[in-house]
Amino acid sequence: MDKFIIQGPTPIHGELHVSGSKNAALPLMAACLLSEERSEIRNIPRLQDIYTFTKVIQGTGTQATFHQEENRWTCDGSTLDTPEAPYDLVRKMRASFYMLGALLGRCGEARVSLPGGCAWGPRPVDLHLKGLEAMGYKMSQKGGYIEAKGPDTLPPSSFTLQPSSVGATINLVLAAVLRSESFRLVNAALEPDVVQFCEALQAMGADIDGIGSSTLTIRKVTRLKGLDWDNSPDRIEAGTFMIAAMMHPDSVCTIHGIRRSELGGLADDIRLTGAICEFNSEGTSVRVKAPERITPISVRTDIYPGFPTDLQAQWATMLTQAHGTSAVEDRIYEDRFSYAPELGRLGANIEVKHNVAWVTGHTPLNGASVMSTDLRASVSLVMAAMVAQGQTDVLRVYHLDRGYEALEAKLTAIGANIERVKE
Ligand code: UD1
């Protein structure tokens, strides 16, 4: 198991390039299973979740290859013969549950392990299952597995997601495009990853109305061609770098390869703290300059375009350096605060009450050993360590390797002092 040894404080100063999005890549990879033809997706990040999902896909008999040096992923769906996703892989990554929709869509049957627990509290899949049932699939549960099947053509149906869910939207669309005479999905997720996924399916030949709105209508087509696609940049990685650049008064970074339109209101929140946040005219790069004094700005997570739950830990970490008290409320995942006690070990003043973290700054942080608990908590510990005095050991960075490509190389190149060592 690797750990990071980080010496601080170090301002960050220079240029960063955002990698391809993990959360956008996974549904695109699942979409490729719906076609018997060859597919290619570019701008795929070298991340553990991509390797894991490639293995899940290979387990179905599909030839899938990650050409990692080129960040390119290819797949030949013609050999798919086993519509299954086993527990030992699904438990490593919840998004493997996309196999349920993909295999049902392609084969009309699937046996997929239930994902099990998660480090940030309950993450149910009830909406995925209820939606598939409403679509006309016969669902049953046996030995921790969901077994489902349906006929070639499912009758017209509709389903309302309450709450809106990224994963359920993806699974239901996957299961519908080749099989449902007409499926209406109400309160579909609007996240850019979902919009891109629907556009990619449309490019493969799917009939989807309402892309980019909260009501999708899908009508069966009999076949899809292979996908040929450039994956989008990782908006969460972009946001993470933007927030990291606010934390030390001498930091200034330009982050390239972004899409301004996918960042929601983040830039406005950043400006409210007193930081400078300027985009180029194309909206493909952004310069963030830290303020002298960070004004405490409270945020509340929400579905897109609201403040993303995947950035709340980073925002709370930045607020430890703000002057005053502010609140970070998570309305999507109410238990997602495992980073708070770890930041406390560095000297942060954070009190968590129900789904709100109250952060009081400005507190000087001092190096200590801290433990990564999940992906976004881990990156927050790295951000805190970069402004803490002395040495911080961030243990269990395998969580980070699931979601940030070459993080230590990117940050070290602009002034951070981060070393990866084997524990
Ligand atoms: C995806 C992202 C994750 C992000 C989250 C919210 C991927 C691989 N993961 O996760 O990084 O934090 O969106 O933006 O893209 N819910 C139910 N029943 C269900 C499904 C969801 O009640 O069957 C609830 C959840 O508990 C949560 C809310 O819906 O409160 C949103 O979850 P969802 O959008 O499904 O998150 P994921 O797709 O799992």
Side-chain angles (χ1 to χ4, degrees):
M1 234 186 272
D2 293 358
K3 70 172 180 182
F4 282 172
I5 298 179
I6 303 175
Q7 307 287 346
T10 51
I12 45 175
H13 209 281
E15 324 251 319
L16 285 159
H17 291 265
V18 169
S19 298
S21 163
K22 164 181 84 81
N23 284 356
L26 298 169
L28 292 177
M29 290 161 73
C32 294
L33 290 180
L34 294 179
S35 172
E36 291 180 31
E37 296 178 10
R38 190 178 172 283
S39 290
E40 172 169 315
I41 314 171
R42 295 165 293 277
N43 199 27
I44 297 290
R46 280 187 289 263
L47 295 174
Q48 196 50 51
D49 278 7
I50 300 294
Y51 298 109
T52 303
F53 202 44
T54 302
K55 272 199 193 138
V56 176
I57 288 174
Q58 287 166 339
T60 65
T62 305
Q63 279 175 22
T65 312
F66 184 24
H67 311 268
Q68 45 176 354
E69 294 313 315
E70 301 154 36
N71 292 94
R72 192 166 63 86
W73 189 85
T74 55
C75 137
D76 175 355
S78 63
T79 54
L80 192 160
D81 57 10
T82 311
E84 284 192 20
Y87 176 62
D88 62 334
L89 290 172
V90 176
R91 75 184 163 84
K92 288 191 182 147
M93 190 189 72
R94 291 179 56 86
S96 309
F97 204 57
Y98 294 156
M99 293 303 278
L100 184 57
L103 292 171
L104 280 175
R106 172 69 187 278
C107 310
E109 59 176 316
R111 184 172 177 272
V112 174
S113 169
L114 278 163
C118 169
W120 10 300
R123 287 183 77 183
V125 288
D126 57 316
L127 293 171
H128 302 231
L129 305 179
K130 285 180 192 151
L132 290 171
E133 205 155 36
M135 207 185 289
Y137 286 103
K138 293 268 169 288
M139 315 289 296
S140 63
Q141 188 182 330
K142 218 185 272 170
Y145 278 75
I146 296 297
E147 296 183 355
K149 61 170 142 193
D152 277 355
T153 302
L154 298 160
S157 61
S158 81
F159 186 70
T160 301
L161 288 172
Q162 198 55 259
S164 178
S165 155
V166 171
T169 302
I170 289 166
N171 245 335
L172 294 174
V173 172
L174 285 167
V177 285
L178 286 173
R179 293 195 177 259
S180 180
E181 239 174 272
S182 160
F183 177 65
R184 190 160 173 269
L185 184 61
V186 180
N187 204 22
L190 295 171
E191 269 68 7
D193 309 342
V194 175
V195 173
Q196 175 188 225
F197 159 77
C198 290
E199 285 169 350
L201 278 170
Q202 205 171 38
M204 293 168 80
D207 181 350
I208 308 177
D209 258 3
I211 297 178
S213 79
S214 60
T215 302
L216 297 173
T217 305
I218 297 156
R219 289 181 199 85
K220 171 184 163 125
V221 294
T222 46
R223 61 178 291 280
L224 293 176
K225 56 184 183 194
L227 177 63
D228 180 17
W229 198 260
D230 291 306
N231 181 31
S232 58
D234 194 318
R235 66 196 172 96
I236 301 300
E237 186 192 13
T240 301
F241 290 151
M242 289 164 79
I243 299 169
M246 301 163 62
M247 288 187 62
H248 188 292
D250 297 330
S251 288
V252 48
C253 293
T254 303
I255 300 143
H256 298 286
I258 61 157
R259 288 186 191 160
R260 177 186 190 159
S261 57
E262 296 187 352
L263 294 174
L266 179 65
D268 295 334
D269 290 325
I270 288 177
R271 288 188 197 106
L272 289 173
T273 68
I276 293 172
C277 179
E278 296 166 332
F279 291 89
N280 66 351
S281 54
E282 297 84 29
T284 53
S285 69
V286 62
R287 177 175 169 274
V288 178
K289 184 176 183 320
E292 273 307 313
R293 277 170 71 90
I294 302 173
T295 304
I297 297 297
S298 298
V299 295
R300 175 185 284 169
T301 70
D302 211 338
I303 55 173
Y304 188 83
F307 194 95
T309 171
D310 285 348
L311 285 177
Q312 64 94 338
Q314 297 90 313
W315 192 262
T317 303
M318 178 276 295
L319 289 175
T320 66
Q321 302 307 295
H323 289 259
T325 298
S326 37
V328 174
E329 178 181 354
D330 201 327
R331 302 204 297 184
I332 308 290
Y333 285 108
E334 300 191 340
D335 288 346
R336 212 177 178 185
F337 295 100
S338 59
Y339 60 85
E342 297 300 312
L343 289 178
R345 289 176 54 75
L346 299 176
N349 179 349
I350 306 183
E351 201 182 339
V352 178
K353 284 190 196 144
H354 184 46
N355 66 334
V356 183
W358 293 93
V359 188
T360 301
H362 167 283
T363 40
L365 302 180
N366 286 295
S369 287
V370 288
M371 186 82 83
S372 298
T373 48
D374 69 52
L375 172 54
R376 310 300 170 188
S378 311
V379 80
S380 304
L381 297 176
V382 172
M383 288 162 57
M386 292 194 309
V387 297
Q389 193 69 43
Q391 177 172 321
T392 300
D393 289 11
V394 181
L395 312 183
R396 295 196 183 176
V397 293
Y398 63 84
H399 287 291
L400 268 176
D401 297 334
R402 290 189 41 217
Y404 288 90
E405 186 179 56
L407 182 76
E408 73 271 32
K410 288 186 185 184
L411 292 174
T412 303
I414 57 165
N417 185 338
I418 307 177
E419 193 191 348
R420 180 187 286 261
V421 295
K422 298 255 172 258
E423 268 186 84

